[in-house]
Each structure stands twice: as C-alpha cells, then as structure tokens.
Amino acid sequence: MTDPPHMTILFDNEPGIQGLTSQWGFAALIQVADRTILFDTGSNGRVLLTNMAALGIAADSVDLLFLSHPHWDHMGGLDSVLEVNPRASVVLHEGFSKHLIHDLRPLCGELVLVGAEPRPVAPGIYSTGMFASQPPEQALVIEAGGVTAAVSGCAHPGMERIVACAATLLGNKIDWAIGGFHLMHADAAGIANSIRSLQDLGVAYVVPTHCTGDAARAAFRRAFGAHCIDGGVGREIRLVQRQD
C-alpha cells in the first residue's frame, strides 16, 4: 500500500505558520504516491512562490496543476507557476474562459479539459466533473494509501454535494473533506445543515478554511472535535486513515 496523501497549504487567508504571508485565496500542494499536485494558485503569484520557497517547495516539482473554478483568488498565481514550470499538466473545466483555455495550451505540458462527468486525471486522482454552480466548479477526489478525500476550492455547489459526488464516484465513504466550504454568509441553520449532511455521508475528518467563515469553523470544531483540523497557510496535514 502506498503512503497516505500529504497536503501543505500554500496560500490561505487564514494565518498558519509564522513568517508566511496570508492573503485572500487558497492553494495547496498535495502529494499522492509519486504525483505532486498544486490545487489552485491563490490570488497572487509572487506571494504563492514566496510562500513555497519559504517552505522549501520548488515550483518545478509540480506535476499537475488543478484549478477548481475561475475566480481570481484561486487562479491568480497560474502565470507565475507556469513561467517557472511550463512542463506541468493543467486541469481545467469547460466553465473557464475559452480564450484562457486556448492561450494556455502552448504554455503547459498538457491541458486536460473536464466536462460535466467525473473523470480520472491521474492514478488515484479524479475530478468530480464540472458542477453547474455559480461559478462552475470542479473538486479534486483522492483515493490512495487507504484514504479517500474531497478537496474543494470554494464549494460553491455545497460541500455536501461535492462529497456525495465523490462517494458515488469511488463507491466508498469519503474520509476527508478539505478546503473552502463557502459558509461565510450562511446562518446558523445553514451551517448546522451542512455539518449534519457531511456527518450523514460518513465524513471522518474536516479541514474547513478559506471562505468557510469564523462561525462555521467554530461549529465544525464543536461537531467534529479533534477530527476538525485547522487550515492556514503553511499547515501540513497527513491524511490518515479513518479509525472506525
């Protein structure tokens, strides 16, 4: 069995490790077996690369660059990464600008364009397919090292919908729900419904960060206890197996 996936949050508006820069947006480096994935690129390429350098992570180590949705705070560092690492494959969905898709093709190693249906993008790594949300969004699904995970950028479709899609795709419960949960404007009832839905789906661990909001993060901590892991820029998270 391969080692469990490992994640380092590189860009987040939530503070984490001292000495790194926090700005609005999200990006994470995910190591799955022999693949290094950059999930989203934050809002500022210079800040992203500086944080990576401070953590001892080389941008040219990235094999696969996965963009969740076409908002500035998730794709702002795209050019900066590809300038350093033009061999990386890029995974977009059909909801991105056709002009961007066209212009990116000669700037990266391979451009993978995802439609509405889930699909594999590498061994043990999948896209949920493009949800018809506003904006359209895809999420990353991982099945490796005895662990399953769903990673969202902002979860505009709803984190519970993303997890349900991932569970159907893999035919298994999703151990980890990670990323922006987009609950910063939700009321207490909406937050409680999201928590209850994820619990009903069998999620064991959550990492709610970025656009989740203070009230929702506090509610997830109360509901999941030690299985609610803090995000924040620089945070390293080993995706351990569930302990059922």
Side-chain angles (χ1 to χ4, degrees):
M1 180 180 293
T2 59
D3 291 334
H6 179 269
M7 167 182 283
T8 304
I9 298 177
L10 305 176
F11 200 109
D12 198 350
N13 41 283
E14 297 300 326
I17 304 303
Q18 190 173 9
L20 301 180
T21 299
S22 297
Q23 288 188 353
W24 187 265
F26 187 72
L29 194 81
I30 307 169
Q31 190 73 43
V32 180
D34 61 346
R35 298 297 179 105
T36 300
I37 306 157
L38 179 59
F39 179 93
D40 286 346
T41 63
S43 60
N44 185 293
R46 185 177 299 172
V47 169
L48 174 65
L49 293 181
T50 300
N51 284 345
M52 291 176 73
L55 291 165
I57 298 170
D60 62 5
S61 69
V62 172
D63 303 307
L64 188 71
L65 201 165
F66 186 103
L67 291 182
S68 62
H69 64 289
H71 274 174
W72 65 277
D73 54 330
H74 294 262
M75 57 181 290
L78 176 61
D79 285 352
S80 296
V81 174
L82 290 180
E83 284 177 7
V84 177
N85 184 2
R87 68 171 183 81
S89 297
V90 177
V91 181
L92 302 178
H93 59 66
E94 293 175 349
F96 281 82
S97 162
K98 290 181 174 57
H99 301 294
L100 173 66
I101 293 167
H102 175 272
D103 290 348
L104 273 179
R105 289 191 186 277
L107 301 178
C108 62
E110 179 186 10
L111 193 143
V112 178
L113 191 60
V114 175
E117 297 300 317
R119 60 168 290 179
V121 294
I125 304 162
Y126 306 83
S127 166
T128 56
M130 182 184 71
F131 290 97
S133 53
Q134 292 299 324
E137 185 166 349
Q138 65 176 340
L140 186 73
V141 181
I142 299 169
E143 184 178 38
V147 175
T148 58
V151 185
S152 72
C154 272
H156 290 100
M159 196 65 197
E160 56 273 23
R161 188 177 170 198
I162 288 171
V163 168
C165 175
T168 299
L169 170 64
L170 299 181
N172 204 354
K173 289 181 180 179
I174 300 304
D175 302 324
W176 288 79
I178 302 168
F181 287 17
H182 205 63
L183 293 170
M184 59 186 176
H185 301 308
D187 59 16
I191 293 168
N193 181 67
S194 180
I195 291 172
R196 185 168 53 251
S197 296
L198 293 179
Q199 290 175 326
D200 289 346
L201 287 163
V203 171
Y205 299 90
V206 293
V207 185
T209 190
H210 178 41
C211 59
T212 303
D214 293 342
R217 283 200 311 277
F220 272 96
R221 289 190 198 103
R222 291 192 294 270
F224 281 83
H227 285 196
C228 179
I229 312 300
D230 286 337
V233 62
R235 193 80 63 193
E236 294 189 34
I237 304 163
R238 187 166 295 278
L239 306 188
V240 299
Q241 297 181 29
R242 63 170 63 234
Q243 304 298 314
D244 293 347

